[in-house]
Amino acid sequence: MALTGIEIYKYLPKTNCKKCGFPTCLAFAMKVAQKTVNITICTDLSAESRAALEAAGRPPIQLVTIGGDSKKIEVGNETVMFRHEKTFFHPTGFVYRLKDTTPVDSILQEVQAIAEYKVERVGRFLAMDGFAIENASNDAATFAKTVEAVKSKTDLPLILISKDPAAMEAALAKATPGKPLIYAANKDNWEKMADLAVKNKCPIAVTSSDGLSELATLAEQINKKGIEEIVLDPGARDFGTSLTTLTQIRRLALKKNFRPLGYPIITFPGEGAASVDLEAMLAGQQVAKYAGIVVLDHFSPAMVYPLLTMRLNIYTDPQKPIQVTPGIIQIGTPKPTSPVCVTTNFSLTYFAIAGELEAAGWASWLVVCDTEGLSVLTSWAAGKFDAEKIAKTIKNFKVADNVNHRNVVIPGHVAVLRGELEEELPDWKIMVGPREAVDVGGFLKQNWKN
Amino acid sequence: MPVVEIPVEKWNGQVHQVKLGGVGGRKELIVGGDNTLPFLKFEGTVPHRPAIAIEVLDYTPPNWAEPLVKAWGDVLKSPVAWAKKAAEYGANAIALRLRSAHPEEGNTGAEHAKRVVTDILGAVDLPVIVLGPEVAEKDNEVLVAASEAGRGQRLALGDCFDKNYRTIGATCLADGHVAIAKTPIDMNLAKQLNILLSDLGLTMDSILMDPTTGALGYGLEYTYSVMERLRITALMGDKMTAMPMICTVGEESWRQKESKASAGVPATWGDQEKRAIIWEKLTAMGLLNAGANIIVLRHPKTVEDVKVAINKLFA
Ligand code: B12
Ligand code: SF4
């Protein structure tokens, strides 16, 4: 968490020696808080004070990075309990679990399918974030071989799952560099696992099902070994315990600044659910309620597409809806005879209609009005998508220069605008399109005469 | 060893309790009463689990998605058979949508509404929620008829908008029903409509609010956040935002392309039926965690799994 000037001042020597170039320690502290000067300029600051300052300035939930430079999962560093208070920053990482008891061939097929999977939504590509490999065989060599095989196939981040430090060591030899997450240190193996994390410079998960005190103890012990990047598994598996426990951990970190549990959380919804759909539902809950990494035991497009959409929704900044730039957009290669359609600049709205025009094979001119990122009905109700606005947009972007006709299609939801629009645009014929974008192809086929 | 003290919020407020049914042999459904955030029993009491209502239409839906038509089959032709089936599937209430009253969907009137409501009330012993076509004058017409047909049965009637709340509120008051106040994802508008309804004379235990549902991928995040804000404000002591919330999850979710399209969509969307059902389930999960007290659903499989999830959250 960013410290205030006053908080920083507490750690300074308070001698006002001016060597930093500022008249007082307080003035210096204020500048440090604004991030215009660096704390290291004060040469009189003791090593302890500096360490204490850094600790105090650490975010209440540590940022943890898993994976290499090209593809990585960054989780943690959240600052609020509720997204409306600010926003959630680091989207939940979705990871698929493989087991080293599965034949390598089929593992590699799965890896390829999942690593290649991407689905487009509002102009973005949504995808899975990585793989967890579990040492289900309990054999170190098999584990290492599987990890090596997976690693050869994908550069997505990895989570290595084993209780056995020897197996972990063997797997790490194949998985590093690349910063895999070590899963997991428990009360029996934590020292050895922590040593591996230090040696390989990897983040490490700690797990305990014996309550939060036990978990905090473990995390603290590991942190004392000099490891900052820790992930928590409180062992909460079903809907109720997950919600309760993850809420408690988030509150402890944010409201009590309780360091030993100030880390992102990993969950395994497949272990708390009796079917694929329940796994998806629990994973969906965990996106909203405080999981940093969700390890899935099933993968199918029908399950993952909704989940990735859920994540996109929950992690959208509530202050700024996803928007596109207003203007005249060419769908395909439109000709002077091609249709002119009007829409708003809310991404969801824009991509819905643009996608349907494209899918139906209608090269066209799509006029995107600036509605401050609001949908058709919302912006109409808010007075930001009226006849005047549409007319102005059509004039400003010189739509008429591109076409040899004067027909414009408006969304069916704002059919009421027709009359006024006819007044605002006397040269144009206003056509009321269908309500839903899916029907636009059929509509044009029937009604577009050019 | 670090001592973990679980932080507990001290809330002053409480969600009002609202009862549906419970008269003349009809089953009783009570929602609300929570004095903490959804399902957080470690810091407060959650006396009633969220309820599931299954949506029944007063006519055969002309354009429902294939998986829904398949799941319900022939009962879609008869609201009574449909309601009975919904009861078998474990609904806690029937949400009867008088959609055929919509001017573009048949424009049926008071007589038809009265008959369907009477038939449904006769056929099932579950509490009944009656929803209009969401066109103010038609809402007034059919909801008043429904209200009279169900006099004394403690139905929930909706939706009251800023335009028609007087008529519907008054009929609820006269016939002993609960009014559903619907506002477009806005905390102040929600509060204002609740105040207007209570000024009419409706007591705190006679109002539900519908914050307007955005489906997954279609505004879910807005609904989610306004519900969290409404709930938190209620817990901080504001009685006029403390009405239990009802969400029309099925209706919104099954309207979307992801649920309806059987062909011509990317392969990365996966199997339509599976995807559509998970779409409805995730919309439900999101809103349950944001504070929904009644979830109105469409697909029987969604009902089954949402029930499992609620029971586990409530355990
Ligand atoms: C999410 C939402 C919001 C969000 C904003 C989301 C956004 N960025 O736009 C928030 C919470 C901010 C909001 C606020 C308001 N909202 Co609002 N909101 C919704 C909600 C739930 C979903 C809207 C949405 O995103 N739809 C999805 C998009 C993709 O739909 P779309 O833009 O219409 O596009 C579709 C079609 O129109 C078509 N299409 C698009 N372009 C084109 C072009 C052509 C040529 C064709 C043929 C088709 C076509 O394709 C798309 C897919 O089919 C709806 C209710 C609902 N469940 O639908 C209410 C709703 C739109 N809101 C409404 C209202 C009244 C408001 C407010 C004015 C309330 C208030 N007084 O404060 C405010 C205004 C905001 C402001 N003052 O700045 C009302 C509008 C009522 C009406 N019929 O006039 C609605 C319908 C709710 C209701 N039933 O009362 N809202
Ligand atoms: S150098 Fe350090 S001690 Fe000296 S005035 Fe600046 S902040 Fe204070």
Side-chain angles (χ1 to χ4, degrees):
Chain A
M1 209 179 344
L3 296 179
T4 64
I6 304 291
E7 283 163 338
I8 294 168
Y9 174 70
K10 288 186 199 143
Y11 295 92
L12 295 178
K14 303 188 190 72
T15 54
N16 299 335
C17 77
K18 301 189 174 60
K19 277 186 279 184
C20 56
F22 292 91
T24 60
C25 293
L26 184 60
F28 176 70
M30 292 303 174
K31 292 292 166 188
V32 175
Q34 291 164 14
K35 297 198 165 62
T36 48
V37 296
N38 197 297
I39 188 77
T40 50
I41 291 176
C42 171
T43 45
D44 291 357
L45 188 65
S46 70
E48 296 93 81
S49 297
R50 209 168 127 192
L53 243 176
E54 268 164 19
R58 204 202 89 180
I61 300 175
Q62 175 72 40
L63 184 71
V64 173
T65 307
I66 303 168
D69 291 334
S70 59
K71 303 246 171 94
K72 56 187 173 190
I73 299 174
E74 277 189 329
V75 287
N77 203 359
E78 298 300 340
T79 57
V80 290
M81 294 297 297
F82 304 101
R83 60 187 290 286
H84 65 256
E85 294 174 309
K86 188 164 179 67
T87 185
F88 290 176
F89 290 97
H90 294 95
T92 317
F94 280 116
V95 165
Y96 177 74
R97 171 152 58 180
L98 305 155
K99 295 191 174 170
D100 70 353
T101 41
T102 312
V104 172
D105 282 356
S106 25
I107 287 190
L108 292 185
Q109 272 173 20
E110 277 189 299
V111 166
Q112 177 159 8
I114 294 171
E116 276 174 3
Y117 179 82
K118 58 178 181 182
V119 57
E120 194 182 349
R121 197 174 171 82
V122 292
R124 305 175 173 207
F125 283 101
L126 313 179
M128 294 284 291
D129 303 290
F131 294 96
I133 306 164
E134 179 173 336
N135 181 21
S137 69
N138 288 319
D139 178 64
T142 310
F143 190 35
K145 220 177 74 200
T146 309
V147 170
E148 186 175 25
V150 173
K151 181 94 180 158
S152 73
K153 197 89 185 171
T154 178
D155 58 353
L156 285 175
L158 300 182
I159 298 176
L160 308 177
I161 303 184
S162 179
K163 286 194 192 78
D164 173 12
M168 189 59 73
E169 186 164 22
L172 278 166
K174 306 292 183 190
T176 48
K179 268 190 97 188
L181 171 68
I182 296 176
Y183 179 98
N186 59 33
K187 64 176 185 302
D188 303 319
N189 70 8
W190 72 268
E191 280 205 273
K192 284 187 178 148
M193 288 292 196
D195 290 343
L196 288 173
V198 172
K199 190 171 143 220
N200 292 284
K201 300 194 175 60
C202 290
I204 184 168
V206 296
T207 176
S208 165
S209 304
D210 303 331
L212 294 183
S213 297
E214 189 69 35
L215 188 68
T217 307
L218 267 172
E220 196 166 60
Q221 281 167 334
I222 286 180
N223 180 246
K224 285 209 175 109
K225 291 239 176 191
I227 303 171
E228 296 294 342
E229 293 192 277
I230 296 174
V231 171
L232 305 172
D233 174 10
R237 289 295 181 263
D238 82 39
F239 290 85
T241 44
S242 173
L243 176 65
T244 304
T245 313
L246 272 58
T247 301
Q248 290 173 342
I249 293 176
R250 177 94 147 209
R251 272 200 198 160
L252 280 159
L254 294 185
K255 304 239 153 168
K256 302 279 168 190
N257 216 346
F258 184 68
R259 280 295 139 74
L261 293 178
Y263 303 100
I265 301 168
I266 187 169
T267 63
F268 297 84
E271 293 179 17
S275 69
V276 176
D277 277 33
L278 284 164
E279 178 181 357
M281 289 162 75
L282 180 48
Q285 170 183 306
Q286 288 166 339
V287 167
K289 294 295 175 189
Y290 312 138
I293 299 164
V294 171
V295 181
L296 297 176
D297 286 321
H298 293 89
F299 172 91
S300 74
M303 165 199 191
V304 168
Y305 175 35
L307 275 176
L308 293 170
T309 305
M310 182 90 168
R311 174 175 78 183
L312 184 68
N313 281 176
I314 296 293
Y315 280 85
T316 295
D317 184 344
Q319 264 79 49
K320 21 179 158 81
I322 317 177
Q323 317 188 8
V324 296
T325 316
I328 171 163
I329 308 291
Q330 305 189 10
I331 308 289
T333 320
K335 296 197 278 277
T337 52
S338 299
V340 172
C341 297
V342 171
T343 192
T344 81
N345 79 322
F346 181 36
S347 283
L348 191 59
T349 302
Y350 166 79
F351 284 102
I353 184 68
E356 292 305 335
L357 286 168
E358 228 166 76
W362 278 94
S364 40
W365 308 93
L366 185 55
V367 182
V368 181
C369 299
D370 184 359
T371 59
E372 295 162 33
L374 295 178
S375 76
V376 170
L377 273 181
T378 312
S379 58
W380 174 74
K384 288 172 182 160
F385 188 55
D386 51 17
E388 200 186 323
K389 169 69 77 45
I390 296 173
K392 245 195 197 143
T393 310
I394 286 180
K395 286 177 195 155
N396 287 352
F397 290 116
K398 301 199 171 28
V399 177
D401 294 356
N402 294 288
V403 293
N404 61 9
H405 62 79
R406 292 292 177 269
N407 296 309
V408 55
V409 183
I410 60 170
H413 278 304
V414 287
V416 290
L417 291 179
R418 178 197 240 153
E420 277 173 64
L421 250 183
E422 279 167 350
E423 280 171 32
E424 295 272 348
L425 294 170
D427 304 340
W428 290 76
K429 182 173 161 237
I430 313 301
M431 298 169 74
V432 175
R435 291 203 184 152
E436 301 303 331
V438 244
D439 302 321
V440 78
F443 171 84
L444 288 173
K445 209 168 157 189
Q446 271 206 351
N447 299 288
W448 195 261
K449 298 287 187 269
N450 284 323
Chain B
M1 182 159 140
V3 183
V4 176
E5 268 177 65
I6 301 295
V8 170
E9 303 275 356
K10 286 201 185 60
W11 302 110
N12 304 316
Q14 185 171 11
V15 178
H16 306 303
Q17 283 200 66
V18 170
K19 189 186 88 175
L20 302 184
V23 205
R26 190 161 302 285
K27 280 190 183 135
E28 175 179 278
L29 173 64
I30 302 181
V31 291
D34 319 36
N35 64 5
T36 177
L37 292 165
F39 308 105
L40 296 189
K41 289 195 186 171
F42 68 92
E43 72 175 10
T45 46
V46 187
H48 306 287
R49 64 192 73 198
I52 295 174
I54 295 184
E55 187 183 340
V56 169
L57 300 190
D58 68 338
Y59 70 159
T60 310
N63 50 9
W64 267 23
E66 178 56 28
L68 282 176
V69 174
K70 195 174 99 188
W72 290 101
D74 271 353
V75 303
L76 292 184
K77 293 187 190 128
S78 148
V80 164
W82 188 348
K84 283 184 174 160
K85 197 86 194 160
E88 277 173 37
Y89 283 136
N92 305 115
I94 300 296
L96 173 66
R97 168 75 75 187
L98 299 172
R99 182 74 195 169
S100 76
H102 194 286
E104 288 165 28
E105 306 270 341
N107 204 21
T108 59
E111 271 315 303
H112 180 264
K114 196 169 234 166
R115 197 171 60 242
V116 183
V117 171
T118 309
D119 288 352
I120 299 257
L121 285 171
V124 294
D125 64 355
L126 292 175
V128 176
I129 299 161
V130 185
L131 303 168
E134 304 206 74
V135 178
E137 314 94 73
K138 292 301 287 188
D139 282 341
N140 286 348
E141 181 184 345
V142 295
L143 289 173
V144 169
S147 175
E148 287 165 5
R151 181 170 294 149
Q153 295 278 356
R154 203 147 178 84
L155 314 175
L157 293 182
D159 294 312
C160 300
F161 296 100
D162 48 357
K163 289 193 199 89
N164 65 4
Y165 76 91
R166 283 175 186 281
T167 309
I168 296 168
T171 199
C172 285
L173 202 57
D175 295 326
H177 302 311
V178 171
I180 304 174
K182 181 164 179 170
T183 45
I185 322 191
D186 185 295
M187 187 156 84
N188 296 322
L189 293 179
K191 178 169 175 168
Q192 194 183 326
L193 189 52
N194 290 339
I195 293 175
L196 290 172
L197 281 169
S198 48
D199 285 350
L200 280 184
L202 282 161
T203 47
M204 297 292 160
D205 58 0
S206 300
I207 305 173
L208 291 169
M209 56 181 175
D210 177 341
T212 296
T213 299
L216 176 63
Y218 294 87
L220 175 75
E221 70 273 38
Y222 295 98
T223 305
Y224 180 91
S225 284
V226 85
M227 287 173 70
E228 290 204 321
R229 290 177 60 206
L230 281 163
R231 171 61 78 88
I232 290 168
T233 312
L235 293 178
M236 293 194 321
D238 183 348
K239 289 191 163 34
M240 285 302 167
T241 54
M243 287 64 187
M245 292 185 273
I246 176 169
C247 296
T248 51
V249 166
E251 203 166 49
E252 287 302 322
S253 178
W254 284 97
R255 207 157 65 78
Q256 310 307 340
K257 187 174 177 191
E258 276 79 355
S259 308
K260 288 185 111 166
S262 53
V265 299
T268 45
W269 282 22
D271 177 76
Q272 182 202 358
E273 182 173 8
K274 290 198 180 110
R275 168 183 76 234
I277 293 172
I278 294 182
W279 213 266
E280 188 182 23
K281 288 174 175 173
L282 286 195
T283 305
M285 283 318 289
L287 300 185
L288 279 168
N289 275 287
N293 299 87
I294 302 177
I295 293 270
V296 186
L297 296 174
R298 280 193 176 168
H299 200 286
K301 285 206 172 128
T302 310
V303 172
E304 188 183 327
D305 274 357
V306 169
K307 213 158 224 204
V308 172
I310 289 175
N311 288 343
K312 293 200 170 204
L313 278 162
F314 199 79

